[in-house]
Amino acid sequence: MSISIQDTIKAIREMIPIIDPEEDYLTIAAAEEQMSITEEERRKEMEEAQSRVRSLARVLEAARVSSTRPSTLPSAEQHAAMLNELDETRLSMIKAINDAEGALAGKEAELARVQEELRNLKESDPSSEHNLDATVLRLAMYKGLGFEPVLGRDGRVAKMLVRSMTGDVHCVNFDHTKSDAEYADLLWKLASS
């Protein structure tokens, strides 16, 4: 299947009337110009693509840096341990609050009982429950102050023994030579001496 040179020359000669070198030149020049325009466009596209790749690489690096755990944050194990510790603290606080609420409820119940008791005591009249002799109480108070009455044969106070602050005991006879005010002054004077 080899073509002879003669056949090739003959084919070229037959094509000479069809071939217009000026038109072919213009076609080739236009093709070269189009190729240089296309090459320039591809070069610009390539630069833009490289610029976008560099930009995306920076974004990727920034995302990689931001997605890594900073050194100031605890590790996952430390974080889990901290959560466990906080849970334990929360549970102990809940228990302490429950205990305190229980104690508070007990104290409130005790307060209510004491208030009820106080109300009952305020409403009660202890003197009506007992038959008290006021004379005996007065004599006990006088004796506590240092005055001890001595009754005569008629059942009235005939004299008064007065114990002074120094511990001396004085005897005052009620012979009705002085007024009640003078006897009172004398008794208080002896008691405070």
Side-chain angles (χ1 to χ4, degrees):
M1 285 236 241
S2 83
I3 300 176
S4 70
I5 292 197
Q6 292 298 327
D7 290 336
T8 308
I9 292 174
K10 183 180 171 189
I12 291 175
R13 280 190 185 149
E14 288 173 2
M15 291 180 67
I16 285 178
I18 302 172
I19 297 176
D20 181 12
E22 191 175 312
E23 189 181 317
D24 288 343
Y25 172 74
L26 290 175
T27 304
I28 291 172
E32 283 180 349
E33 186 180 331
Q34 185 62 38
M35 285 174 50
S36 72
I37 290 172
T38 304
E39 182 180 340
E40 183 63 26
E41 287 175 356
R42 285 184 182 160
R43 185 184 61 74
K44 284 181 183 178
E45 286 178 7
M46 186 68 116
E47 287 175 0
E48 287 175 7
Q50 287 176 344
S51 173
R52 281 187 297 218
V53 165
R54 285 191 294 272
S55 167
L56 289 173
R58 285 191 297 271
V59 169
L60 175 66
E61 185 59 30
R64 184 177 295 133
V65 166
S66 69
S67 69
T68 57
R69 183 180 288 278
S71 61
T72 58
L73 293 179
S75 67
E77 295 80 20
Q78 291 171 332
H79 182 69
M82 188 182 304
L83 285 178
N84 287 339
E85 183 178 323
L86 289 173
D87 278 344
E88 289 175 6
T89 303
R90 182 178 60 88
L91 291 175
S92 66
M93 293 292 278
I94 288 171
K95 183 182 180 307
I97 288 170
N98 287 340
D99 291 346
E101 285 176 347
L104 176 64
K107 294 297 181 187
E108 286 175 344
E110 184 178 346
L111 176 64
R113 182 186 56 76
V114 168
Q115 285 176 336
E116 178 66 22
E117 211 174 284
L118 177 63
R119 187 180 57 79
N120 291 339
L121 286 174
K122 283 182 178 180
E123 290 175 358
S124 70
D125 184 14
S127 63
S128 67
E129 296 173 9
H130 305 286
N131 293 327
L132 298 177
D133 186 4
T135 306
V136 175
L137 285 175
R138 279 195 294 270
L139 288 174
M141 285 176 32
Y142 292 147
K143 191 170 185 178
L145 291 172
F147 302 105
E148 189 173 339
V150 178
L151 300 177
R153 292 183 189 169
D154 58 356
R156 293 184 172 211
V157 178
K159 53 183 162 180
M160 183 77 69
L161 297 177
V162 180
R163 197 174 29 241
S164 67
M165 294 177 80
T166 59
D168 296 337
V169 177
H170 304 280
C171 181
V172 176
N173 289 319
F174 296 117
D175 54 5
H176 301 294
T177 58
K178 299 180 181 174
S179 68
D180 289 344
E182 289 174 330
Y183 279 123
D185 288 340
L186 177 62
L187 291 172
W188 283 113
K189 183 179 176 185
L190 292 173
S192 60
S193 65

